[in-house]
Structure formats: structure tokens, C-alpha cells
Amino acid sequence: MAARFSGVLQLTDLDDFIAPSQECIKPIKVDKKPGKAAAKIRIEADGSYFQVNQDGEAQKLEKAKITLNDCLACSGCITSAESVLVSQQSHGELCKVLAQNKAAAAHEQKLVVVSVSPQSRASLAARCKLGLLETAQKLTTFLKGLGVHHVFDTTFSRNFSLLESQQEFVRRFQRQAEDKKALPMLASACPGWICYAEKTHGSFIIPHISTTKSPQQVMGSLVKGYFAEQQHLPPDRIYHVTVMPCYDKKLEASRPDFFNQEFQTRDVDCVITTGEVLKLLEQEGVSLSDVDPSPLDTMLGRAAEELSSHRGGGSGGFLEHIFIHAARELFGIHGASIHYRPLKNKDFQEVTLERDGQVLLHFALAYGFRNIQNLVQKLKRGKCPYHYVEVMACPSGCLNGGGQIKLEGESSKEELQQVERLYESLRAEVPEQNQAVRELYEHWLGGWDSHRALQVLHTQYHAVERASSALSIKW
């Protein structure tokens, strides 16, 4: 599977990211004193930095820690996980918070919530040779044994992302005559793609990107908003962890847009990958197969007896849900059939809706860096024929994320197929028909298309000033 951060961030096959054997540090600041010549910097064999003055005296300089927030704010490289000190985004940080909770007085303890992505659950199930429901129930037991209070499924928050994306597309389609950048609408659930778009194409591409939050960040809003209210707690008394299939999600959680200034807390405090969950299990000496199952938690407090998913593949099904909704709302075509037509490769496919020989909707999915490059170049030349594109940084999409577990003795293709079979084995639900989702829209968000729904479920993007780096290459 893809290594660590997605290829879009690493610019696959180019040496523009820091290798695991190197370290990433911020530039070291050397204080100049009046009347003295500039100091020299000496680098020792072990990588230590020393400031050497005119008298030959050497002073060791401290390396500045680089956090994911710094990483997202710069316009240079994105580094591999081993080379960056991820100070707030690791399973070690989760363990630290759980240990502090156990030692703290009751009024100082935080309510710890873990939200697990369906892609991560499928990867764990494949590794542990378990069914999806069994994996979810046993993982709930394991996490609660560590001190976690609630374990949720981000399939629930994905309902909101899908519904908001559907409505946003219809609005954009209807205003395309007066707004030339309304279409194509580009998916926003993949943070690797978003980071690349902001840094390399900025103000040109941003108007095309859907403002709907990803399922991870919608879950952050629900946990620190609705769930916090139900628990009669301020948002900063909840520590929210997500389990995700890729490292790029750590970057997303670190965005300033998802930080609550009033309570000084992030919507998602910590992101750990599927692989890090496996490390937690190994660290505790636990085999998931041997763990007893527990009932599944839900946001509204009702015990879930089964798991569900969404149609449309392992990256969330955004294309299919938007396509079917738009066909019905814009053209009165119910139950539109979807037939994918591969172009240059299986990661670039088209879907069209036709009536009487006329193309009404033209959608595509573009997975992986090379296909994203081709898409952007089509846009820049004014030759992009699509109304909507589901864009994902990783080849084969989220099930193939860099944070997924590598299966022993399996080829990458066989491994992915096994995870896909598990992922697609669940009953597919229709977001509009989910009663809990309808209740939250009605009673907490103030209805569909309300101002509060727009505020809670949508975000914005920012062009990042370019620096001289591999990300600035003109393709």
C-alpha cells in the first residue's frame, strides 16, 4: 500500500520529501549581538548544530519541534511520519491522555471519544480475520478497557457529508450560468488533495472545491457540539480521537479552521491511523480475536445492533450519491443507473446521465496524483467536461490509504481486494432515510439548508503563498 502521506503530498517519484533517516526542523534562529561579526554554524556528524563565535566558543543550538500545524502552514514539503515529531497526533499522545485521566480528580477528567472510520475497520477485520461487526464490537471492548468512554462510527457523520454535498451540487448546477466557477464541483473529503490544491493552484482551484466538511470533520462538529451538549460538558472537556486510513487526516485535523477559539479546543484532538491501532493492540499484548464483544455506541444513545455503509465504493460514495440525487432533483429521473467507463486507467472513470441522446450529467472519479494532475490541466485549459469529480489522493482511494495495515504474505492487489470485499459486505443505507440524521437536522441544526447547518457542516479553503519548492513545479 502507499507509504505514509499520500502521493499528492509527497509528489510521488520526486525527492521532495524528507526521508525517514533525516530530520525536519524549522530554521534555527541565531541572535546577532551589536558590534560582533555574524556567528557561524557548525554541523556535527550526529546532526547537532553549534553556533561558533569569533572567539571559537561553541554553543549547541536547540532544534525547534515541527508540528502538523506548522507543516500545513508552510508551502514546502510534506514530510513522512517518521521524520516529523507529531506532538499531538499519535497513539502515544492518546495513551498519555488516558493515563492523565486515570490520575486526575473526577472534575478534571476528560470524556474520551473515539470515532472509527469504516475503511480502518475493514483493514483491521482483514488483518484479524474477523467479520466487520465482530471487529467493531471487539474494538469497542478493547478501547473502553484502555479508558475510552464512547466509540462511534464515522459512517454516521458521512450521512451528513453526503447529504450536504448533494444539496450543494444542485445549488451550484442551478447557478452555473452566472457563476463560471460553480462547476465542476470537486470533492473535498480528501485532505491530501485539499492541501495540494491550496498550495499549488490556490485561488484558481478553490472556488471549484465543495465547501462540505469531510466525514471526519463533521464528526468533530457533532462530538464537540451536539454530543457535548447532551453530556452537559463544554467542548474542551471532551478529548476526541479519530481512527483513519491515512496520515493526511492528521493534517486536516490540525487546520486552524477546525479550532474552536472560544474553548481553545480542536474538533478532532488526535488522529491515529489503522496501523497505530494495531500498534496499540501489540503494545497492550492483546489479540483482537480474543477480546469479548461489546454493544456498539451511537450518537443518540441507542445501542446499534448492526453496521451499515453507503453505496459507491470505499472512498465514501460521493459520486454515486450526488449523481442519483441530481438526476432526481434536476431532471426528474428516479433511480438513475450508474455505469462506470474507465479512461486511461481504473482510477480515472466517467459516469454520464443521458436522455434522448443528450448528456445531462457528466461525472468522473480521479484517484491518485497523476490523474489529479490531468484533471487540473484540463481545468486550466478550459477543457474539463465534468459537472462533478470525486477526487482522492491515494490510488484506489481511501481503502488503500497509507495508514492502513499491510497484510503479511499478501500482494498489494490481493490485500486491497480482501479489504474491499469486507468493506462492501455491509448493507448500504440511504442517508435521507436515516432517522437519527433526520432528528439532528430537525432538532439541533434547525432544518435542512438552515444557517446553522451551513455553519456546522461547511468550511472554507485558503490559497497558500508559494515558496521555492518541488510543489511549485509547473507541470
Side-chain angles (χ1 to χ4, degrees):
M1 289 194 180
R4 307 305 179 190
F5 288 97
S6 66
V8 165
L9 295 185
Q10 292 181 334
L11 297 188
T12 308
D13 301 326
L14 296 176
D15 188 20
D16 72 325
F17 64 97
I18 294 176
S21 60
Q22 298 173 303
E23 285 198 41
C24 179
I25 63 166
K26 295 182 198 175
I28 293 171
K29 182 180 178 182
V30 179
D31 292 325
K32 293 183 179 180
K33 294 183 180 179
K36 291 194 175 183
K40 294 180 180 180
I41 300 295
R42 185 177 78 226
I43 305 176
E44 298 293 308
D46 64 356
S48 300
Y49 288 75
F50 284 84
Q51 175 182 323
V52 183
N53 62 24
Q54 273 186 311
D55 302 326
E57 293 178 358
Q59 177 187 352
K60 188 173 182 179
L61 298 172
E62 293 295 320
K63 290 182 182 179
K65 295 176 182 178
I66 189 165
T67 67
L68 283 172
N69 204 40
D70 299 316
C71 201
L72 192 62
C74 86
S75 52
C77 66
I78 292 294
T79 59
S80 64
E82 294 88 352
S83 43
V84 178
L85 174 60
V86 184
S87 61
Q88 292 181 326
Q89 301 283 348
S90 68
H91 69 288
E93 182 68 15
L94 170 59
C95 292
K96 181 176 147 189
V97 169
L98 292 172
Q100 289 172 344
N101 242 14
K102 288 176 182 176
H107 69 279
E108 294 177 343
Q109 291 178 358
K110 293 199 173 187
L111 188 75
V112 182
V113 175
V114 175
S115 300
V116 182
S117 70
Q119 294 88 352
S120 293
R121 187 173 55 230
S123 181
L124 271 171
R127 172 57 186 260
C128 300
K129 295 180 170 53
L130 297 168
L132 290 177
L133 179 59
E134 202 177 4
T135 299
Q137 292 171 332
K138 287 174 179 285
L139 184 60
T140 298
T141 302
F142 170 68
L143 291 171
K144 289 187 175 181
L146 295 178
V148 172
H149 300 99
H150 299 274
V151 181
F152 296 139
D153 178 2
T154 63
T155 302
F156 179 66
S157 57
R158 192 165 68 192
N159 284 300
F160 293 88
S161 294
L162 291 169
L163 289 168
E164 290 299 312
S165 295
Q166 291 173 182
Q167 294 175 72
E168 182 183 355
F169 176 79
V170 169
R171 289 194 297 267
R172 283 173 175 259
F173 192 93
Q174 290 170 337
R175 72 167 193 264
Q176 63 180 306
E178 59 267 23
D179 181 359
K180 298 303 179 186
K181 289 200 172 185
L183 297 178
M185 181 170 114
L186 307 177
S188 58
C190 173
W193 148 243
I194 295 299
C195 188
Y196 166 75
E198 288 181 322
K199 290 182 178 182
T200 59
H201 303 290
S203 55
F204 168 76
I205 208 88
I206 285 172
H208 292 284
I209 299 174
S210 166
T211 61
T212 302
K213 288 181 182 179
S214 71
Q216 170 175 280
Q217 295 310 136
V218 169
M219 200 65 174
S221 297
L222 294 176
V223 168
K224 293 291 183 92
Y226 173 79
F227 189 67
E229 290 173 13
Q230 298 305 302
Q231 299 296 313
H232 307 290
L233 290 172
D236 57 338
R237 283 287 305 280
I238 294 179
Y239 186 75
H240 184 208
V241 183
T242 60
V243 178
M244 290 287 145
C246 78
Y247 285 84
D248 299 355
K249 285 291 180 183
K250 295 171 184 274
L251 294 171
E252 181 178 45
S254 298
R255 290 177 70 92
D257 306 271
F258 305 132
F259 184 79
N260 184 322
Q261 291 291 344
E262 181 184 355
F263 291 97
Q264 292 294 294
T265 185
R266 296 193 182 283
D267 294 341
V268 177
D269 297 289
C270 179
V271 179
I272 60 175
T273 63
T274 321
E276 287 177 287
V277 172
L278 186 62
K279 286 181 184 177
L280 265 177
L281 285 160
E282 292 169 349
Q283 183 179 300
E284 296 295 318
V286 173
S287 170
L288 200 60
S289 304
D290 299 332
V291 177
D292 292 329
S294 287
L296 302 178
D297 298 328
T298 63
M299 185 74 69
L300 272 65
R302 306 160 189 158
E305 296 180 359
E306 64 172 353
L307 295 171
S308 61
S309 188
H310 296 108
R311 62 174 292 169
S315 297
F318 286 88
L319 181 150
E320 293 199 14
H321 283 80
I322 294 170
F323 187 88
I324 291 168
H325 179 79
R328 183 177 66 247
E329 294 298 312
L330 295 170
F331 304 106
I333 298 174
H334 294 262
S337 58
I338 294 177
H339 302 287
Y340 288 95
R341 184 169 71 90
L343 298 180
K344 291 183 179 180
N345 52 68
K346 68 179 178 62
D347 278 340
F348 203 134
Q349 301 189 53
E350 291 184 345
V351 177
T352 56
L353 177 71
E354 298 183 24
R355 184 165 59 190
D356 301 328
Q358 180 187 2
V359 175
L360 303 177
L361 292 174
H362 197 178
F363 282 25
L365 61 80
Y367 293 173
F369 181 54
R370 297 305 171 195
N371 290 324
I372 289 174
Q373 279 183 300
N374 292 335
L375 172 67
V376 171
Q377 288 308 315
K378 283 182 179 180
L379 263 173
K380 288 194 166 183
R381 291 195 299 266
K383 294 183 177 180
C384 182
Y386 308 117
H387 295 114
Y388 176 82
V389 186
E390 182 179 291
V391 186
M392 298 291 160
C394 292
S396 300
C398 299
L399 287 174
N400 193 38
Q404 297 284 68
I405 300 169
K406 181 70 179 171
L407 301 182
E408 296 173 3
E410 299 272 4
S411 71
S412 295
K413 186 177 180 181
E414 291 170 335
E415 173 187 345
L416 181 59
Q417 287 174 342
Q418 192 174 341
V419 175
E420 283 176 343
R421 281 195 297 271
L422 280 163
Y423 181 88
E424 292 166 2
S425 66
L426 295 176
R427 173 186 65 84
E429 69 170 327
V430 179
E432 292 92 332
Q433 295 175 5
N434 186 302
Q435 187 57 37
V437 171
R438 295 171 71 92
E439 284 182 30
L440 258 67
Y441 263 109
E442 184 179 346
H443 301 298
W444 187 61
L445 292 170
W448 308 91
D449 289 327
S450 69
H451 175 71
R452 181 161 171 76
L454 189 66
Q455 186 181 40
V456 171
L457 304 175
H458 290 256
T459 186
Q460 56 188 336
Y461 309 101
H462 320 277
V464 178
E465 186 179 346
R466 294 190 193 186
S468 179
S469 72
L471 281 171
S472 303
I473 293 173
K474 299 286 186 184
W475 297 97

